Amino acid sequence: DPFGGCVGTMLGVSKNNYATATVCPINEALKMLPLFRPSSPWEQAGQCGSLLFRSPDGKVWPYQPGSPLQTTWIDIIYALPGSGKSVLSNAINLALCLQPGITELPRISVLDIGPSSSGLISLLRAALPEDQQHLAVYHRLRMTKEYAINPFDTQLGMRMPSPSERSFLVNFLSLMTTPVGDSKPYDGISDMVGLIIDTAYKMSSDEGKPSSYTVGVEELIDAYIEEMGFVTDKKTTWWEVTDALFSAGYIKEAELAQRYAVPVLSDLSSYAREQAVSDLYGSVTISTGESLVDAFTRMISSAIREYPILTTQTKFDLSNARVVALDLDEVAKSGGDAADRQTAIMYMIGRYVVAKDFYINEGMLSEVSDIYKEYHSERIENVKNTHKRLVMDEFHRTSKSQIVRDQVVLDMREGRKWKVQIALISQSLSDFSEVMIEFATSIFIMDAGPEQAIKNTTEAFGLTESSRLALKNYVTGPKSSGTTLLAQISTKGKLNTQILTLTLGPIELWSFNTTMEDTILRNSLYQSIGPKSARYVLAKIFPSGSCTSYVAEQLSQDEDDESGLITDEEKTSIIKQLSEKIITAFKKSPELDDLVL
């Protein structure tokens, strides 16, 4: 009875069962019994995972990034382009912001190539009160003065860098003084760099030759000094001004003044000529025939010309933000040895800018004067109890810089002590070193790839035959029902390997989408009707989270195109027309009553 069978599936209509009873073989019946079902460790521990996946049979599978169920929090996400890597990363970052029990936003820092993280920032800013929207920011780093970053900045009041900051500076300057095309610097240069760094800070401190305060350099500082009644003379130093401003309660102004007290990159050439450096390294020669000191000063001078944003006091400040996305696309290029080195340097400086406060700890209190200790104690306590996450997208761009990858491995090794999560995103398993794979506690494979890629994945992670077949048959990229992936998550004493599906709502999909057509339409509407309204409108018109099907349908109806080739200009034209239709209809009625596609 087809009619009865149909009615029998309707909720609350009929109790009758129209199915025909039959005998089922025991081996088939066992497959349908709920003896073995995917189960989340967060579900078993009674914890609420703020990110919800689902299993192949539709069961909810919660996941919580940064959970105490894991000893460390190191994520690796990889797949071919267009497989949903950025969408998953944004979903995890959003889940961290929405986890139960937190009273303020976690610290999330994303180093991105392109604007894929800008949607997350826009979504968070729209949800925050107006006076807190500065806590989530997206910036596209440019090689201009307004984005000037001084890697020698220290924590407020500190005359010397902390051990983690000094370690970063040694790696960073070693990278800057590595010859173009080489994977490592000259022998001995890392040791010499450490000595030069110590000399630079010592000479810039109160006991050395500190920078003198100069009227007119910062008019804001001049105004506050005058208001305070602080008397200056020719011997007044920027450190004295910094201390005076802080003591008067002007924290931000003290931070601004301190930028003129610490060394800058252009000072290093003179510090490299100091007696302490010359005595140890002045007679050391390298393969070019020049001394190690001469080679250092030559390469620093070259870096000053090539990277103007690194040669002066900091202008680009992210200290107030908690969720930061830094787009390196304009300054991190590919295509040649010089471009690879610039990319590596920009990844390093980006990592410094967005994560420099992640590693502050009680040890630094002994390095500051008493007036700063209470201030830093409160900061340290806040940072210690806050989830911190560092995300590096397009990680394959660092493949030719061993120094950058060594810094990442160091962050992985020490992340647990500081409660720092590390996430690396790239296009292939080969983009990660064996050590990185060994340290990873959450692996997300978004696309199985060809047979050889499946074989490499199976060997690297020790997948069983059933896991290998599931990877091959189910993990095939995003679909309308969601993105199915293979997750291997290590918890304390256990290894969970699961096929999971990530299904997001249309608002999230439109926020996180990075497809070219969708990005063009979304940005156009953002500018015209605002991000919040744009997401609402797009979710209503295209609940699948993409307009690509509509664009393809419109292009297929174009009878004038005899070549059969679709150009980007044609796509852009269709999207522009679509955008104009949506904007016109929205202005007439926000409910889009008059919209006809």
Side-chain angles (χ1 to χ4, degrees):
D1 185 348
F3 178 78
C6 180
V7 171
T9 65
M10 299 178 183
L11 291 176
V13 175
S14 173
K15 292 184 178 180
N16 295 331
N17 180 11
Y18 292 90
T20 302
T22 186
V23 176
C24 181
I26 188 66
N27 62 329
E28 296 297 328
L30 286 173
K31 295 177 182 178
M32 294 184 284
L33 294 177
L35 299 177
F36 303 98
R37 296 192 70 190
S39 181
S40 167
W42 284 272
E43 186 180 50
Q44 297 169 17
Q47 297 186 5
C48 296
S50 52
L51 180 60
L52 299 180
F53 294 100
R54 58 184 172 84
S55 65
D57 61 351
K59 180 181 178 181
V60 171
W61 203 95
Y63 169 70
Q64 180 59 54
S67 164
L69 284 183
Q70 295 182 282
T71 54
T72 58
W73 311 277
I74 299 171
D75 300 349
I76 285 181
I77 304 173
Y78 69 92
L80 297 173
S83 300
K85 301 185 298 297
S86 296
V87 171
L88 173 63
S89 176
N90 283 323
I92 293 175
N93 293 338
L94 180 61
L96 200 60
C97 297
L98 299 178
Q99 63 181 313
I102 62 172
T103 57
E104 58 183 353
L105 284 173
R107 291 180 176 268
I108 301 175
S109 299
V110 183
L111 293 181
D112 207 350
I113 301 292
S116 59
S117 298
S118 61
L120 171 67
I121 300 300
S122 178
L123 192 65
L124 290 174
R125 287 174 66 88
L128 287 167
E130 190 172 344
D131 63 338
Q132 295 184 35
Q133 291 183 356
H134 64 278
L135 297 177
V137 295
Y138 163 84
H139 286 285
R140 183 178 174 87
L141 194 64
R142 303 180 64 196
M143 202 71 74
T144 59
K145 291 182 179 179
E146 62 185 301
Y147 289 98
I149 301 166
N150 181 15
F152 291 89
D153 284 334
T154 57
Q155 302 295 329
L156 184 58
M158 290 186 65
R159 273 53 170 175
M160 300 292 288
S162 66
S164 62
E165 290 171 340
R166 184 184 183 278
S167 175
F168 162 78
L169 284 172
V170 170
N171 286 340
F172 180 68
L173 291 178
S174 298
L175 174 61
M176 293 196 76
T177 53
T178 298
V180 175
D182 289 358
S183 60
K184 59 181 181 179
Y186 296 118
D187 289 342
I189 206 161
S190 295
D191 295 333
M192 187 181 73
V193 161
L195 179 57
I196 292 172
I197 290 170
D198 295 338
T199 302
Y201 280 106
K202 183 178 179 180
M203 295 295 292
S204 300
S205 67
D206 304 278
E207 291 76 22
K209 298 178 181 178
S211 300
S212 298
Y213 166 71
T214 305
V215 177
V217 173
E218 280 289 347
E219 294 182 359
L220 180 64
I221 300 299
D222 298 339
Y224 274 92
I225 286 178
E226 184 177 351
E227 180 183 329
M228 291 162 47
F230 182 74
V231 180
T232 63
D233 55 32
K234 293 182 179 179
K235 294 184 178 180
T236 302
T237 68
W238 280 106
W239 280 122
E240 291 174 336
V241 172
T242 300
D243 293 342
L245 288 167
F246 181 84
S247 297
Y250 300 122
I251 308 299
K252 294 301 297 180
E253 291 71 25
E255 292 176 345
L256 179 59
Q258 182 169 312
R259 296 175 187 176
Y260 295 90
V262 296
V264 294
L265 186 64
S266 54
D267 295 335
L268 295 192
S269 295
S270 61
Y271 291 132
R273 302 291 181 184
E274 289 291 325
Q275 191 68 37
V277 180
S278 298
D279 288 347
L280 285 176
Y281 299 98
S283 60
V284 178
T285 59
I286 58 174
S287 56
T288 61
E290 57 191 333
S291 71
L292 197 60
V293 172
D294 289 339
F296 175 83
T297 56
R298 171 175 58 80
M299 287 186 283
I300 288 296
S301 298
S302 175
I304 291 171
R305 292 192 304 272
E306 295 297 324
Y307 311 113
I309 65 172
L310 303 179
T311 60
T312 186
Q313 288 78 18
T314 296
K315 303 293 183 186
F316 181 52
D317 184 20
L318 296 173
S319 58
N320 289 331
R322 298 185 71 87
V323 182
V324 180
L326 194 59
D327 183 356
L328 304 179
D329 184 51
E330 192 169 323
V331 296
K333 300 297 183 181
S334 57
D337 292 337
D340 289 338
R341 189 174 97 159
Q342 177 171 325
T343 295
I345 289 173
M346 289 301 111
Y347 261 96
M348 286 288 279
I349 198 65
R351 179 261 178 209
Y352 161 78
V353 169
V354 300
K356 65 180 180 180
D357 291 340
F358 283 11
Y359 302 94
I360 61 174
N361 58 84
E362 290 84 353
M364 63 182 279
L365 296 178
S366 61
E367 302 296 328
V368 296
S369 60
D370 292 340
I371 62 172
Y372 294 97
K373 286 185 178 180
E374 183 179 353
Y375 167 76
H376 283 303
S377 294
E378 293 178 359
R379 291 182 65 230
I380 291 167
E381 192 64 26
N382 177 273
V383 171
K384 184 192 300 184
N385 296 323
T386 300
H387 286 279
K388 298 171 286 292
R389 183 174 177 85
L390 175 61
V391 182
M392 302 182 77
D393 204 349
E394 304 292 347
F395 191 66
H396 60 276
R397 295 280 191 102
T398 68
S399 60
K400 295 185 179 179
S401 177
Q402 189 58 43
I403 292 177
V404 176
R405 299 171 82 82
D406 288 344
Q407 180 68 53
V408 172
V409 170
L410 180 63
D411 289 338
M412 287 180 164
R413 290 180 184 274
E414 300 186 353
R416 185 178 183 277
K417 292 189 296 184
W418 317 116
K419 207 174 181 179
V420 177
Q421 306 170 34
I422 306 292
L424 306 179
I425 307 171
S426 197
Q427 300 176 3
S428 170
L429 179 62
S430 61
D431 295 331
F432 310 103
S433 68
E434 292 183 3
V435 174
M436 294 173 185
I437 295 172
E438 178 185 346
F439 286 165
T441 52
S442 296
I443 309 288
F444 299 98
I445 307 167
M446 310 294 293
D447 192 348
E451 194 64 39
Q452 184 59 44
I454 296 174
K455 180 180 178 182
N456 294 339
T457 298
T458 302
E459 293 175 354
F461 302 116
L463 300 183
T464 62
E465 180 62 16
S466 60
S467 297
R468 187 191 72 82
L469 290 174
L471 174 65
K472 180 178 180 180
N473 296 327
Y474 293 103
V475 184
T476 55
K479 296 180 180 178
S480 58
S481 58
T483 302
T484 300
L485 54 94
L486 178 70
Q488 189 174 79
I489 300 173
S490 300
T491 56
K492 294 178 180 178
K494 296 181 181 180
L495 184 64
N496 300 272
T497 304
Q498 301 284 351
I499 292 291
L500 303 172
T501 299
L502 175 67
T503 303
L504 301 175
I507 294 288
E508 290 172 298
L509 287 174
W510 272 110
S511 298
F512 304 155
N513 202 325
T514 59
T515 306
M516 183 192 75
E517 296 92 333
D518 300 322
T519 301
I520 294 173
L521 177 61
R522 181 182 63 202
N523 291 344
S524 175
L525 295 182
Y526 274 10
Q527 294 174 8
S528 300
I529 62 177
K532 189 172 183 178
S533 297
R535 285 190 289 267
Y536 164 76
V537 166
L538 289 170
K540 187 171 184 178
I541 302 171
F542 301 107
S544 65
S546 176
C547 68
T548 52
S549 298
Y550 171 84
V551 174
E553 182 180 348
Q554 294 300 307
L555 289 170
S556 66
Q557 296 175 4
D558 187 0
E559 299 177 355
D560 297 330
D561 187 3
E562 299 178 355
S563 65
L565 298 176
I566 299 174
T567 64
D568 289 341
E569 288 77 10
E570 290 174 313
K571 289 183 179 179
T572 304
S573 176
I574 295 294
I575 296 169
K576 184 178 180 181
Q577 294 173 22
L578 174 61
S579 176
E580 291 173 352
K581 287 182 181 180
I582 294 174
I583 293 169
T584 300
F586 179 80
K587 289 180 178 178
K588 289 183 179 180
S589 169
E591 297 301 319
L592 304 177
D593 296 329
D594 298 329
L595 179 62
V596 178
L597 295 181

